[in-house]
Amino acid sequence: MNRIIVLIAAILLPALAWSQIFFKVEREGLESPSYLFGTHHLAPLSVLDSIPEVVDALSASSAVVGEIDMQKSQENPMALLPYMSAPADSALTKLFTPERFRTLNEEFHKWTGGLDLSMFDSMKPIVANMTVALGMVIEDIPGYVPGEQLDTYVQTYARQAGKKVIALETVEQQGEYVFNGVPIAEQAKALAETLDNPAKAKEDAIRLNKCYFNQDVESLYRESLKENEDPILFENLLYRRNANWLEQLPEIFRAQPSFVAVGALHLAGEKGLVEGLRRLGFTVTPII
């Protein structure tokens, strides 16, 4: 169940590879191409240095499309609180016995710079799990600065250049998918697994990060599938959202050339955006 974090810290099939993170999207009747870029929440902005074509594509596009409007999210940080908060009977101290909580807290403390797990008592377990997962890998990501996300960067670029910013879902919709997409009991199980096996959790996260830095979305997706034990997880965090976005993207592309930046796992697989757009008649070509 650590795969919950893998999918968020956005989550095997045809030989047509998605072993890149950047694609050109074209179709007969469209005067200009659009672009599809896979982001990663634990990637430093310096990853763009290896893909200089991204800036050219941003400049050529009239709109930037993201999962959510990052500016609105930052302006209203409390919007996610109702989704992150746990019911009173599902507080962490209710989900674990006192002795179990103490043991988990000792490990949590080690990986979070001294934070106490009790600080997250009123939050869903996934919030604590995301926090400790970040603490485990941050020192192994050169140049990573919390708060400097690729999604935010491309949307800020768009606004400064006078371009549109289009959100595929609201902050509230994303909160529902991320924090309510998996039952609280399963979230608690995942948190315990992370803290019981921190070396393995860290190793898994670093391996998946390397897949992204190698621009190998296919391997990232396959590794995530291999480790996932619950098909509902993929359904809620990836497939349902991909289907919703595929209903919106054709009209967005018809309206203007657009630069779409979403979590890299959303690109891959038969139910991913790359294959989905191809089925809708678009030509989707990797940009090397």
Side-chain angles (χ1 to χ4, degrees):
M1 286 300 299
N2 280 331
R3 310 49 173 168
I4 295 174
I5 305 307
V6 167
L7 286 171
I8 293 171
I11 234 246
L12 91 145
L13 301 168
L16 284 171
W18 341 272
S19 295
Q20 281 81 27
I21 58 174
F22 189 35
F23 297 82
K24 181 186 291 187
V25 181
E26 300 171 289
R27 188 163 74 177
E28 186 176 352
L30 298 181
E31 293 184 5
S32 301
S34 288
Y35 300 89
L36 183 60
F37 178 56
T39 64
H40 185 51
H41 296 309
L42 294 179
L45 298 183
S46 58
V47 72
L48 296 175
D49 294 340
S50 63
I51 321 172
E53 296 88 352
V54 166
V55 175
D56 294 336
L58 274 169
S59 178
S61 300
S62 299
V64 164
V65 182
E67 297 181 24
I68 60 172
D69 187 320
M70 300 299 290
Q71 180 172 286
K72 289 182 179 179
S73 176
Q74 292 167 354
E75 290 173 349
N76 185 17
M78 302 300 287
L80 285 176
L81 187 59
Y83 303 93
M84 297 167 66
S85 299
D89 62 355
S90 298
L92 291 178
T93 48
K94 299 285 182 65
L95 296 171
F96 301 106
T97 65
E99 178 60 26
R100 183 73 168 124
F101 187 88
R102 183 189 65 79
T103 302
L104 294 174
N105 187 42
E106 289 176 357
E107 200 64 43
F108 188 83
H109 192 85
K110 293 178 186 177
W111 294 101
T112 58
L115 294 180
D116 197 281
L117 192 56
S118 62
M119 296 170 58
F120 297 81
D121 192 34
S122 64
M123 298 292 176
K124 291 189 174 83
I126 193 172
V127 180
N129 207 349
M130 293 168 69
T131 302
V132 72
L134 176 60
M136 287 176 171
V137 300
I138 192 169
E139 65 182 23
D140 295 289
I141 308 174
Y144 176 74
V145 179
E148 288 188 357
Q149 294 185 348
L150 289 166
D151 306 74
T152 303
Y153 171 82
V154 297
Q155 291 186 23
T156 299
Y157 177 100
R159 285 194 162 93
Q160 291 176 345
K163 302 175 186 291
K164 287 184 185 178
V165 173
I166 300 171
L168 293 168
E169 59 194 25
T170 66
V171 175
E172 291 79 9
Q173 286 173 322
Q174 187 169 90
E176 179 67 27
Y177 285 124
V178 172
F179 297 106
N180 293 337
V182 177
I184 288 180
E186 292 298 315
Q187 294 183 30
K189 180 182 175 183
L191 174 61
E193 183 177 319
T194 297
L195 295 172
D196 284 338
N197 304 280
K200 181 180 185 304
K202 179 174 181 175
E203 179 184 336
D204 290 345
I206 290 173
R207 184 176 68 254
L208 290 164
N209 282 349
K210 286 181 178 178
C211 290
Y212 179 80
F213 296 144
N214 291 334
Q215 299 184 35
D216 192 350
V217 178
E218 180 179 7
S219 293
L220 180 65
Y221 182 67
R222 285 178 172 170
E223 287 291 323
S224 300
L225 275 179
K226 182 174 68 175
E227 294 186 1
N228 177 49
E229 298 170 355
D230 185 356
I232 295 176
L233 183 63
F234 269 72
E235 183 64 34
N236 287 337
L237 293 183
L238 281 179
Y239 302 149
R240 285 175 57 195
R241 299 168 74 198
N242 289 349
N244 290 338
W245 299 351
L246 285 167
E247 291 180 0
Q248 301 175 58
L249 287 173
E251 183 56 37
I252 290 172
F253 294 153
R254 279 193 291 269
Q256 68 272 301
S258 301
F259 184 98
V260 180
V262 297
L265 278 178
H266 290 285
L267 275 56
E270 289 186 338
K271 296 182 180 181
L273 298 184
V274 170
E275 291 302 316
L277 288 170
R278 286 172 175 160
R279 284 193 295 271
L280 291 173
F282 291 89
T283 300
V284 185
T285 309
I287 297 178
I288 306 300

